[in-house]
Coordinates of all heavy atoms in Angstrom, one line a residue:
C41 N -8.3 -12.6 4.3 CA -7.5 -13.9 3.9 C -8.4 -15.0 3.6 O -9.4 -15.2 4.3 CB -6.5 -14.2 5.0 SG -5.3 -15.6 4.6
H42 N -8.0 -15.9 2.7 CA -8.8 -17.1 2.5 C -8.8 -18.0 3.6 O -9.8 -18.8 3.8 CB -8.3 -17.9 1.2 CG -9.3 -18.7 0.5 ND1 -9.8 -18.4 -0.8 CD2 -10.0 -19.8 1.0 CE1 -10.7 -19.3 -1.1 NE2 -10.9 -20.1 -0.1
S43 N -7.8 -17.9 4.5 CA -7.9 -18.7 5.8 C -9.0 -18.2 6.6 O -9.6 -19.1 7.4 CB -6.6 -18.5 6.5 OG -5.5 -18.8 5.7
D44 N -9.4 -17.0 6.6 CA -10.6 -16.5 7.4 C -11.8 -17.3 6.9 O -12.5 -17.8 7.7 CB -10.9 -15.1 7.1 CG -9.8 -14.1 7.6 OD1 -8.8 -14.5 8.3 OD2 -9.8 -12.9 7.1
H64 N -6.6 -11.4 10.4 CA -5.3 -11.4 10.9 C -4.3 -10.6 9.9 O -3.2 -11.0 9.8 CB -4.8 -12.8 11.2 CG -4.9 -13.8 10.0 ND1 -5.0 -15.1 10.2 CD2 -4.7 -13.5 8.7 CE1 -5.0 -15.7 8.9 NE2 -4.8 -14.7 8.0
E65 N -4.9 -9.6 9.3 CA -4.1 -8.7 8.5 C -4.4 -7.3 9.0 O -5.2 -6.5 8.3 CB -4.4 -8.8 7.0 CG -4.0 -10.2 6.5 CD -4.1 -10.4 5.0 OE1 -4.9 -9.6 4.4 OE2 -3.3 -11.2 4.4
C90 N -0.8 -12.9 12.2 CA -1.6 -14.1 12.6 C -1.4 -14.5 14.0 O -2.1 -15.4 14.5 CB -1.2 -15.2 11.7 SG -1.5 -14.8 9.9
Y116 N -6.9 -15.0 16.1 CA -8.2 -15.5 16.5 C -8.4 -16.9 16.6 O -7.5 -17.7 16.0 CB -9.3 -14.9 15.4 CG -9.0 -15.4 13.9 CD1 -9.5 -16.5 13.5 CD2 -8.3 -14.6 13.0 CE1 -9.4 -16.9 12.2 CE2 -8.2 -14.9 11.7 CZ -8.7 -16.2 11.3 OH -8.6 -16.6 10.0
C159 N -0.1 -11.0 6.5 CA -0.3 -12.4 6.3 C 0.1 -12.7 4.9 O 1.1 -13.5 4.6 CB -1.8 -12.9 6.5 SG -1.8 -14.7 6.2
A160 N -0.5 -12.3 3.8 CA -0.1 -12.6 2.5 C 1.3 -12.2 2.2 O 2.1 -13.0 1.5 CB -1.0 -12.0 1.5
T163 N 3.8 -14.6 4.4 CA 3.6 -16.0 4.1 C 4.3 -16.3 2.8 O 4.8 -17.4 2.5 CB 2.1 -16.4 4.0 OG1 1.5 -16.1 5.2 CG2 1.9 -17.9 3.6
L187 N -2.4 -14.2 -1.7 CA -1.0 -14.7 -1.5 C -0.2 -14.6 -2.8 O 0.9 -14.0 -2.8 CB -1.0 -16.0 -0.9 CG -0.8 -16.3 0.5 CD1 -1.9 -15.5 1.3 CD2 -0.8 -17.7 1.0
I294 N 3.2 -18.9 7.6 CA 3.5 -17.4 7.8 C 4.8 -17.1 7.9 O 5.7 -17.5 7.1 CB 2.5 -16.9 8.9 CG1 2.5 -17.7 10.2 CG2 1.2 -16.6 8.4 CD1 1.8 -17.2 11.4
R339 N -6.8 -8.4 -3.2 CA -7.2 -8.5 -1.8 C -8.2 -7.6 -1.4 O -8.1 -6.4 -1.7 CB -5.8 -8.3 -0.9 CG -5.8 -8.9 0.5 CD -6.0 -10.3 0.5 NE -5.2 -11.0 1.5 CZ -5.2 -12.4 1.6 NH1 -5.9 -13.2 0.7 NH2 -4.4 -12.9 2.5
Ligands
ZN402 ZN1 -4.0 -15.3 6.3

Side-chain angles (χ1 to χ4, degrees):
C41 180
H42 207 114
S43 301
D44 299 347
H64 57 209
E65 293 187 335
C90 300
Y116 62 83
C159 175
T163 301
L187 264 56
I294 44 174
R339 197 59 142 184

